[in-house]
């Protein structure tokens, strides 16, 4: 995303447009407040390190999950910072009942960008890529894209950086839809990220955000992502967060191993993480680790079959909070 930042800074805008009431209705369709929310702790952990050991009394898998959530939140927030930069400085060139278009306007390297938001009033359905169980059916939704093309190019030459559809409701955080972040459009080698979300907060409804990384856009909804995040929160404050990452471990062959971490937090702060490392060049070997923590994020239980983690074993499942004494929160 650094490339897009340079592009936008290079474009000298001189308008400072104010939002009309009608513009605000369209801009609410963009899921700006979308974020994975996990209980905070003061940590200096530096992301996922499945091969590392553990030291001290803090719950390390809890720290890994929190850091992973912060990383994806930062990506989502950053791309919409660029969209806001456009709409705050440029008047829409198209303003009708069901459409707003900002641009196209030139940027550096002979390209131009534009933002389009459509209000669609026909029946549709929108659902997360990863969790196909959460499907939204509606007669009123918005579609949007933020795209780049060569200056003076044809409509077929637009390459979306951000694209999606949403069913917004009152408040900028609440809604349901699908968001594609095509980071490769502005920085070769960056991933394509698909995000399905539903945060309507209906009575008893579980908020959800599903993220898939390195998606093949040509495959539509059928793909094998190299990473996925799944987040849920119910109406009593229980939060589930799972990560699935394909990566090549050091000192192994070329096949990708699968690293899975599933975490659950209760509203009172107690939690559990279960980790599995399998597939790839591990063959039939499956390594696991389980960890529980208290509201202070101190580890109360740790077990693993990994040889390098044997000295970290502590406590028993009974030292976990009730409801967290078996993997994935079941008793």
């Amino acid at each position: 995303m650094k490339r897009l930042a340079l592009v936008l800074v290079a474009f000298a805008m001189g308008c400072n447009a104010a939002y009309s009431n009608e513009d605000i209705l369209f801009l609410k369709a963009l899921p700006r407040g979308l974020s994975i929310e996990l209980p905070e702790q003061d940590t200096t952990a530096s992301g996922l390190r499945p091969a590392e050991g553990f030291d001290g009394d803090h719950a390390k898998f809890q720290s890994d999950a929190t850091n992973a959530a912060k990383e994806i939140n930062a990506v989502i927030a950053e791309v919409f910072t660029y969209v806001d930069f456009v709409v705050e400085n440029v008047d829409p060139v198209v303003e009708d009942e069901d459409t707003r278009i900002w641009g196209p306007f030139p940027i550096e390297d002979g390209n131009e960008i534009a933002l389009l938001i459509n209000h669609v009033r026909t029946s549709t359905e929108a659902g997360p890529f990863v969790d196909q169980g959460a499907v939204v059916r509606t007669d009123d939704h918005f579609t949007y894209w933020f795209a780049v093309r060569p200056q003076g190019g044809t409509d077929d030459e637009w390459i979306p950086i951000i694209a999606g559809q949403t069913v917004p409701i009152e408040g900028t955080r609440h809604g349901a839809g699908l968001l594609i972040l095509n980071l490769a459009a502005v920085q070769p080698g960056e991933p394509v990220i698909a995000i399905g979300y539903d945060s309507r907060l209906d009575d008893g409804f579980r908020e959800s955000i599903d993220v898939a990384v390195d998606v093949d856009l040509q495959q539509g909804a059928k793909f094998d992502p190299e990473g996925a995040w799944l987040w849920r929160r119910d109406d009593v404050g229980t939060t589930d967060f799972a990560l699935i990452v394909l990566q090549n471990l050091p000192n192994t062959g070329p096949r990708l191993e699968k690293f899975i971490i599933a975490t659950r937090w209760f509203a009172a702060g107690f939690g559990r993480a279960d980790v599995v490392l399998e597939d790839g060049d591990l063959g039939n070997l499956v390594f696991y680790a389980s960890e529980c923590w208290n509201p202070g994020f101190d580890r109360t239980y740790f077990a693993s079959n990994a040889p390098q983690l044997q000295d970290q074993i502590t406590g028993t499942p009974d030292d976990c909070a009730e409801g967290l004494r078996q993997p994935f929160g079941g008793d």
Side-chain angles (χ1 to χ4, degrees):
M1 296 306 297
K2 293 180 179 178
R3 174 64 175 169
L4 183 56
L6 293 174
V7 163
L8 291 180
V9 169
F11 176 59
M13 300 194 179
C15 183
N16 271 335
Y19 297 153
S20 69
N21 290 336
E22 293 79 10
D23 291 340
I24 291 174
L25 294 176
F26 279 83
L27 294 175
K28 282 177 63 177
L30 303 175
R32 271 186 201 76
L34 191 64
S35 65
I36 294 173
E37 297 178 357
L38 299 179
E40 285 284 355
Q41 75 168 34
D42 183 13
T43 176
T44 58
S46 57
L48 298 173
R49 299 283 195 275
E52 287 185 355
F54 299 89
D55 55 2
D57 296 322
H58 281 294
K60 302 303 182 184
F61 289 137
Q62 186 274 344
S63 297
D64 287 341
T66 300
N67 289 339
K70 289 180 178 178
E71 289 173 6
I72 192 63
N73 289 343
V75 171
I76 297 171
E78 186 176 9
V79 294
F80 282 104
T81 296
Y82 304 137
V83 173
D84 289 343
F85 184 77
V86 171
V87 299
E88 289 173 2
N89 289 277
V90 178
D91 288 319
V93 297
V94 174
E95 294 181 273
D96 61 31
E97 183 179 6
D98 291 328
T99 303
R100 290 291 185 278
I101 299 177
W102 287 262
F105 49 83
I107 54 177
E108 65 178 20
D109 292 344
N111 292 318
E112 58 188 10
I113 56 177
L115 170 67
L116 178 146
I117 306 176
N118 277 326
H119 189 181
V120 182
R121 303 176 190 271
T122 56
S123 180
T124 189
E125 60 183 41
F129 267 52
V130 179
D131 181 1
Q132 292 297 327
V135 175
V136 180
R137 300 183 185 278
T138 181
D139 291 325
D140 199 15
H141 72 285
F142 288 83
T143 63
Y144 54 87
W145 59 251
F146 182 58
V148 61
R149 72 176 180 186
Q151 286 186 29
T154 67
D155 288 345
D156 292 337
E157 293 180 271
W158 285 113
I159 301 175
I161 302 169
I162 304 170
Q165 60 184 33
T166 187
V167 184
I169 62 174
E170 191 65 30
T172 57
R173 169 140 166 57
H174 301 157
L178 173 66
L179 168 65
I180 302 293
L181 305 179
N182 183 20
L183 307 185
V186 292
Q187 184 64 53
E190 290 292 315
V192 177
I193 300 175
I195 303 173
Y197 60 94
D198 194 333
S199 56
R200 292 170 296 170
L201 291 176
D202 291 343
D203 185 23
F205 190 86
R206 294 166 63 92
E207 293 183 88
S208 66
I209 300 175
D210 297 338
V211 181
V213 180
D214 284 347
V215 176
D216 183 354
L217 293 179
Q218 303 303 316
Q219 297 295 322
K222 298 179 180 179
F223 60 82
D224 187 13
E226 293 189 6
W229 289 253
L230 296 88
W231 177 84
R232 304 285 186 273
R233 183 169 61 190
D234 66 18
D235 57 340
V236 297
T238 298
T239 301
D240 293 336
F241 182 52
L243 302 90
I244 305 171
V245 179
L246 299 181
Q247 59 184 27
N248 192 276
L249 296 178
N251 303 316
T252 63
R255 294 189 297 174
L256 298 177
E257 286 71 46
K258 182 187 296 181
F259 175 64
I260 304 170
I261 176 170
T263 61
R264 170 167 288 186
W265 281 262
F266 286 162
F270 296 96
R272 179 183 179 113
D274 293 290
V275 176
V276 174
L277 185 61
E278 61 182 1
D279 293 346
D281 293 301
L282 294 178
N284 293 326
L285 291 176
V286 177
F287 295 106
Y288 77 87
S290 296
E291 175 184 72
C292 292
W293 57 85
N294 61 24
F297 303 108
D298 295 320
R299 181 190 296 159
T300 60
Y301 166 67
F302 183 82
S304 176
N305 69 340
Q308 68 269 39
L309 300 180
Q310 293 303 297
D311 61 342
Q312 303 295 326
I313 293 175
T314 185
T316 72
D318 290 337
D319 295 313
C320 301
E322 184 176 355
L324 297 173
R325 292 171 183 161
Q326 295 291 331
F328 308 108
D331 267 346

